[in-house]
Amino acid sequence: MYKIIEKRDWHPTICEMWVEAPRVARKHRPGQFVIIRIHEKGERIPLTVVDKKPEEGLIRIIFQKVGKTTWELGTFQPGDYIADVVGPLGQPTHIEKFGTVVGIGGGVGIAPLYPILKGMKEAGNKLITILGARSKGLLILEDEMRAISDELIITTDDGSYGKKGLVTDALKELIDSGVKIDQAVAIGPAIMMKFVVKTLEPYKIPCIASLNAMMLDGTGMCGVCRVTVGDQVKFVCVDGPEFDGYLINFDELMSRLTVYQEEEKIALEKFKKEHPEIFAGVE
Amino acid sequence: MAEKKKGLNLNRVDMPRQDPKERIKNFNEVALGYTEEMAVAEAERCLLCKKPLCVEGCPAEVKIPEFIALIREKKFVEASRKIKETNALPAVCGRVCPQEEQCEEKCVLNKKGAPIAIGRLERFVADYEAAVGAVEKPEIAPSTGKKVAVVGSGPGGLTVAADLAVMGHEVVVFEALHKPGGVLVYGIPEFRLPKVIVEREVEYIKSLGVKFECNVVVGRTVTIDDLMEKEGFDAVFIGVGAGAPIFMGIPGETLKGVYSANEFLTRNNLMKAYLFPEYDTPIKVGKKVAVVGGGNVAMDAVRTALRLGAEEAHIIYRRTRKEMPARAEEIENAEEEGVIFNFLVNPVEIIGDENGWVKGLKCIRMELGEPDESGRRRPVPIPGSEFIMEVDTVIMAIGTRANPVVPMTTPGLETNKWGYIIADEETCKTTKKGVFAGGDIIRGAATVILAVGDGKKAARAIDHYLRTGEW
Ligand SMILES: Cc1cc2nc3c(=O)[nH]c(=O)nc-3n(C[C@H](O)[C@H](O)[C@H](O)COP(=O)(O)OP(=O)(O)OC[C@H]3O[C@@H](n4cnc5c(N)ncnc54)[C@H](O)[C@@H]3O)c2cc1C
Ligand SMILES: Cc1cc2nc3c(=O)[nH]c(=O)nc-3n(C[C@H](O)[C@H](O)[C@H](O)COP(=O)(O)OP(=O)(O)OC[C@H]3O[C@@H](n4cnc5c(N)ncnc54)[C@H](O)[C@@H]3O)c2cc1C
Ligand code: SF4
Ligand code: FES
């Protein structure tokens, strides 16, 4: 059992928690994630370790409420327990001094991007960060990102904050302004990462992307997280979650994320019916 | 002791089973087990051979005639304890061992086609002992002050943990998943091995003082060197199984509707997807399911698919029925349940629709050629015999291999060319001092009883090492 120590609601649909998981906190490196199961009947879902305090045995998670499990986890309060937390899983990010690194984060993908960019900054890179959200209220970690970035650019789809537009627009502008970029890191919805790579392609700027595939065990035992990278099938949980953006078959990734769409809907509808109060006033 | 019958009794006592029409609608255990009368009647048939061939066939050297003699005397609890002297998991092994290739194959009465139903008797006495609440804790030796880490909680890990605890060592089992039991909980379905039985075994081992720490992926959460250098463990046993799924490498394997058997079975067994949406994990089974493979894993997957509501469930196997490695009883069960067997057929491509879902499986027909290294005749494709089966779900059950995470993170631990850990056959010693290994991770996918056997051997060797320091 893993105790929730602190909780913060960034938005009615975005939630942050500090959770007691001493072994994970000790071993975690940027880019790695945990799999959690919220209770005895729960499913196993992956969440990135956004930050940690090894001395206190704590890890920080930030999640977007998109389905039954994340909505239900959002109802947990400090003092409550998560049944299972296992990790750290996946390969740590390859961090080195590249020169100028551009980090591109979309939506809650900003959360997993944060530890990686922090690592990049600590390795001596110049860091330019582009964060995108649908609207101002959905933007997370702005202050923390600002603290580690040499330059921070914000875009919102509706123009309610920062520049109006998509992260790819801001990225294109940055490249056009003549900034020499040595390495890009993109994390967000698969479609965003796909278009970030498309934007970078003409300039041959290397880009790693972190994939949010479906997962079950997270240890290489089931294969549900498989994705085609170049001419090979890889398991995101053990070979990834980061891969060379140019080699990833994003269309396949997006397609595979829809396998359980119907069931996800059934589960969420059932949960809504049982707990209408949680959803009152939320779009 | 009951009087010995004069002539040979060749009437094997049948074990009652759920009706096939009923059982494909539920996940309850198929076999219902012997009654006392049946067990005694079957035991009466045994010749109590002086030189029991059956024992030679048992990898755990269970004292078969001795326990059968006790059944005749209706000393069922004593019979169970007799088995437990050499096999810690009789309720499990009685259900899942391939007896027809082991003890029952060697039984003298097999020549007459009616070997003693040793497996059924084994499960009967183990269940009896548990049902009457007679499970007894052995005496635990005084504490040795030594600590042993067991990595993985499959049958191998459970056995080594239990034995070492009895020998007076402090034992902690580290398990990657959220529940102990290994394949017994995530792989083998409820209808063949009820999970309460595994839970009962784990509770028993806990009662011996063994601690379980789940959610620890050794190699990621903690390394073997950490355990030995920082956490004070004097020895480590690695029993992580051979859990990585193998795909065929044919086109279409990333389509929606393609599963590894591990995924399909784990969703259902460990995560209880058959109870969705009461349980949160979903599973999808289409109308027509093809399971590729001919072993126990394939049988478990195809029978699970039927129970989840598949209208047609096929086995696709590249050899013939005779070569199928699955337990005979499970093949029969599958046949009774209406599984369709396609022999001498091998998939070459999975075909998808415009939305990325499986819509067909392209196969080629095979014929048997010369025998290969395993002695089985090698299947060879018949040119031009390709055909397409219309299916919407494909489950790959063609085997598993070693997961590299432990060897990769453990300097000094050597593996063979297939990635299995190299260990001494008699002692389970690896190439790293203080580290032992057994079960599927040293043998490749094998059996429960072989893992149990390794656990026994390793426990003795670890005890010796801890007491003498000799490597
Ligand atoms: C390595 C890794 C790290 C991740 N880190 C984070 C994180 O730090 N914060 C976070 O909020 N999420 C993260 N995710 C995604 C997260 O696991 C899913 O959002 C979660 O499983 C959804 O569960 P649910 O039951 O609430 O929703 P579901 O009912 O499973 O899904 C509801 C809706 O969300 C969509 N969805 C489901 N899974 C994903 C997914 N993996 N990515 C995008 N959309 C999805 C579905 O298509 C569906 O429309 C990560 C995923 C991976 C693989
Ligand atoms: C579906 C199926 C059906 C089968 N049917 C039969 C049958 O009828 N009869 C029979 O005799 N055999 C059967 N087998 C084979 C049998 O189950 C195995 O041979 C046996 O379970 C091997 O035992 P083990 O102790 O080596 O480990 P396993 O049972 O494989 O367990 C290994 C455990 O280690 C854990 N682990 C793995 N990596 C790590 C790590 N890094 N850190 C911590 N823990 C880790 C795993 O999560 C798992 O719990 C079947 C196998 C399958 C998959
Ligand atoms: S070989 Fe057969 S008949 Fe002889 S002791 Fe063993 S089970 Fe009984
Ligand atoms: S999640 Fe099961 S292998 Fe990656």
Side-chain angles (χ1 to χ4, degrees):
Chain A
M1 299 290 271
Y2 302 79
K3 194 174 180 179
I4 298 167
I5 300 300
E6 239 181 88
K7 180 184 176 188
R8 166 172 178 190
D9 289 303
W10 285 88
H11 179 267
T13 62
I14 302 175
C15 182
E16 160 177 335
M17 287 174 179
W18 283 91
V19 182
E20 254 176 20
R23 285 193 184 275
V24 182
R26 222 173 296 154
K27 279 279 166 181
H28 169 265
R29 282 157 67 199
Q32 292 184 303
F33 62 94
V34 287
I35 294 237
I36 68 162
R37 194 176 68 125
I38 60 175
H39 51 54
E40 272 310 306
K41 294 184 174 176
E43 60 180 340
R44 296 169 61 101
I45 66 159
L47 292 174
T48 304
V49 177
V50 177
D51 212 343
K52 67 200 158 193
K53 293 180 189 159
E55 328 73 48
E56 294 168 53
L58 300 181
I59 60 166
R60 182 188 192 191
I61 53 175
I62 301 182
F63 57 92
Q64 183 156 32
K65 302 175 193 172
V66 292
K68 151 95 199 318
T69 300
T70 42
W71 272 102
E72 190 170 2
L73 179 59
T75 67
F76 285 33
Q77 298 301 329
D80 289 345
Y81 290 85
I82 298 175
D84 300 289
V85 175
V86 58
L89 303 172
Q91 301 295 335
T93 309
H94 172 71
I95 288 176
E96 66 168 67
K97 188 166 177 193
F98 294 100
T100 300
V101 171
V102 172
I104 304 121
V108 79
I110 294 170
L113 185 63
Y114 174 68
I116 297 171
L117 294 189
K118 200 168 150 195
M120 290 291 187
K121 182 67 198 173
E122 282 162 8
N125 290 291
K126 178 175 178 205
L127 182 61
I128 304 173
T129 305
I130 305 175
L131 304 181
R134 284 209 305 278
S135 65
K136 182 171 186 215
L138 290 164
L139 181 69
I140 56 169
L141 295 175
E142 181 190 347
D143 294 341
E144 280 159 279
M145 284 291 199
R146 193 177 300 283
I148 58 169
S149 305
D150 294 282
E151 189 183 341
L152 180 73
I153 304 163
I154 287 167
T155 68
T156 50
D157 297 9
D158 62 0
S160 54
Y161 192 54
K163 296 185 186 175
K164 182 172 161 56
L166 304 172
V167 286
T168 40
D169 302 332
L171 178 63
K172 183 87 185 34
E173 246 175 66
L174 187 69
I175 298 169
D176 289 344
S177 74
V179 176
K180 188 181 157 296
I181 303 170
D182 299 293
Q183 177 72 45
V185 186
I187 309 184
I191 188 82
M192 178 208 97
M193 294 190 281
K194 177 179 166 167
F195 282 101
V196 165
V197 172
K198 277 227 155 74
T199 308
L200 295 169
E201 203 169 6
Y203 312 93
K204 300 202 167 59
I205 299 168
C207 178
I208 53 174
S210 177
L211 305 187
N212 53 355
M214 235 190 323
M215 288 189 185
L216 185 56
D217 58 299
T219 66
M221 184 264 268
C222 78
V224 67
C225 60
R226 61 199 186 280
V227 60
T228 307
V229 180
D231 54 5
Q232 284 182 312
V233 175
K234 297 278 189 188
F235 287 4
V236 174
C237 71
V238 286
D239 302 321
E242 288 158 24
F243 296 99
D244 177 349
Y246 286 79
L247 299 178
I248 297 164
N249 185 337
F250 285 107
D251 294 335
E252 179 186 277
L253 174 74
M254 285 185 264
S255 169
R256 288 186 61 78
L257 279 172
T258 66
V259 169
Y260 291 108
Q261 231 163 24
E262 273 168 61
E263 289 79 5
E264 285 157 2
K265 215 184 247 156
I266 293 169
L268 185 59
E269 287 309 318
K270 177 169 172 274
F271 186 68
K272 274 186 181 167
K273 224 182 241 148
E274 291 163 359
H275 303 278
E277 72 289 353
I278 299 168
F279 297 87
V282 183
E283 284 169 42
Chain B
M1 188 184 281
E3 239 178 286
K4 228 178 188 175
K5 293 247 171 73
K6 292 212 179 65
L8 291 181
N9 178 354
L10 297 180
N11 296 317
R12 238 168 108 96
V13 179
D14 259 337
M15 179 170 53
R17 287 176 298 165
Q18 275 197 73
D19 186 283
K21 285 198 211 64
E22 278 310 307
R23 72 186 190 226
I24 59 166
K25 294 184 215 141
N26 66 56
F27 277 89
N28 301 336
E29 192 174 10
V30 167
L32 302 172
Y34 277 164
T35 60
E36 287 182 32
E37 294 70 35
M38 291 171 179
V40 172
E42 182 63 14
E44 291 287 354
R45 298 203 305 119
C46 177
L47 307 178
L48 304 180
C49 305
K50 286 255 154 47
K51 266 197 178 168
L53 297 175
C54 53
V55 178
E56 287 172 23
C58 174
E61 294 174 32
V62 166
K63 295 171 182 157
I64 296 168
E66 281 98 321
F67 97 75
I68 292 182
L70 288 163
I71 296 180
R72 289 185 178 188
E73 297 170 41
K74 297 204 172 177
K75 294 185 177 159
F76 305 129
V77 172
E78 289 79 357
S80 175
R81 289 186 190 149
K82 181 58 72 184
I83 303 176
K84 282 188 180 166
E85 287 175 16
T86 56
N87 176 3
L89 302 172
V92 173
C93 290
R95 287 174 166 82
V96 305
C97 275
Q99 289 94 3
E100 75 275 7
E101 299 170 8
Q102 300 180 167
C103 52
E104 296 181 18
E105 137 115 314
K106 291 273 163 60
C107 170
V108 287
L109 292 175
N110 192 27
K111 292 196 189 77
K112 307 268 185 218
I116 300 297
I118 301 167
R120 295 173 185 175
L121 292 173
E122 183 179 22
R123 70 173 268 173
F124 168 76
V125 294
D127 288 357
Y128 184 95
E129 186 188 15
V132 299
V135 176
E136 189 183 67
K137 264 202 308 195
E139 204 178 308
I140 294 182
S143 167
T144 60
K146 302 283 184 186
K147 268 173 79 177
V148 184
V150 173
V151 183
S153 62
L158 292 179
T159 302
V160 87
D163 281 13
L164 287 169
V166 173
M167 293 168 181
H169 305 295
E170 186 184 335
V171 185
V172 183
V173 179
F174 295 96
E175 168 55 48
L177 294 171
H178 55 259
K179 211 170 176 183
V183 170
L184 308 182
V185 294
Y186 79 73
I188 303 182
E190 182 75 16
F191 57 80
R192 209 148 70 77
L193 178 64
K195 297 312 144 219
V196 291
I197 292 175
V198 187
E199 280 158 21
R200 199 167 74 201
E201 297 303 341
V202 171
E203 285 311 311
Y204 166 76
I205 294 167
K206 280 184 188 163
S207 79
L208 302 175
V210 173
K211 296 206 174 56
F212 284 82
E213 200 182 322
C214 287
N215 298 323
V216 175
V217 182
V218 171
R220 288 264 174 266
T221 313
V222 67
T223 64
I224 292 199
D225 284 346
D226 290 339
L227 291 173
M228 298 182 81
E229 288 159 21
K230 295 189 194 150
E231 300 197 19
F233 287 95
D234 302 291
V236 177
F237 174 83
I238 305 173
V240 293
I246 296 177
F247 288 90
M248 293 186 76
I250 58 176
E253 282 186 313
T254 53
L255 288 167
K256 293 180 281 187
V258 182
Y259 289 91
S260 72
N262 269 4
E263 182 195 346
F264 192 72
L265 292 169
T266 301
R267 282 185 184 276
N268 213 55
N269 301 329
L270 180 70
M271 306 309 296
K272 299 213 184 309
Y274 64 96
L275 297 175
F276 177 87
E278 187 201 339
Y279 281 72
D280 291 341
T281 305
I283 192 164
K284 250 197 165 79
V285 65
K287 291 200 169 68
K288 292 189 181 183
V289 179
V291 176
V292 184
N296 285 319
V297 184
M299 295 306 128
D300 285 345
V302 78
R303 296 173 67 201
T304 297
L306 274 181
R307 283 162 174 75
L308 288 170
E311 289 166 14
E312 260 180 40
H314 292 261
I315 283 285
I316 312 288
Y317 184 53
R318 61 197 181 123
R319 305 185 207 236
T320 70
R321 190 180 192 285
K322 213 169 89 227
E323 287 86 15
M324 275 208 288
R327 289 180 82 221
E329 190 172 311
E330 306 311 341
I331 300 174
E332 283 158 30
N333 280 333
E335 283 170 339
E336 277 181 17
E337 288 167 13
V339 169
I340 304 163
F341 287 81
N342 302 264
F343 294 118
L344 291 169
V345 169
N346 206 28
V348 290
E349 182 183 350
I350 305 169
I351 300 163
D353 68 12
E354 60 288 355
N355 296 316
W357 287 96
V358 172
K359 69 168 187 187
L361 184 63
K362 188 171 175 188
C363 298
I364 189 161
R365 296 203 185 275
M366 314 289 280
E367 60 191 354
L368 291 183
E370 295 301 309
D372 62 12
E373 320 81 63
S374 72
R376 296 183 301 178
R377 291 176 64 194
R378 189 192 302 273
V380 282
I382 304 174
S385 66
E386 288 90 347
F387 65 101
I388 290 174
M389 283 178 75
E390 260 179 52
V391 296
D392 45 23
T393 304
V394 175
I395 301 171
M396 292 295 175
I398 54 166
T400 53
R401 50 189 172 74
N403 187 319
V405 65
V406 171
M408 253 171 26
T409 53
T410 313
L413 188 68
E414 282 172 32
T415 55
N416 65 19
K417 63 177 169 179
W418 298 284
Y420 295 113
I421 295 174
I422 296 171
D424 182 88
E425 282 211 4
E426 284 314 307
T427 61
C428 293
K429 279 182 185 169
T430 67
T431 53
K432 187 177 171 82
K433 188 171 177 206
V435 179
F436 301 73
D440 283 3
I441 189 60
I442 67 169
R443 306 172 169 276
T447 58
V448 171
I449 192 67
L450 286 170
V452 168
D454 287 346
K456 285 267 164 204
K457 282 189 254 176
R460 279 195 295 270
I462 293 171
D463 182 60
H464 181 79
Y465 168 69
L466 292 177
R467 288 178 195 276
T468 63
E470 283 167 25
W471 183 250

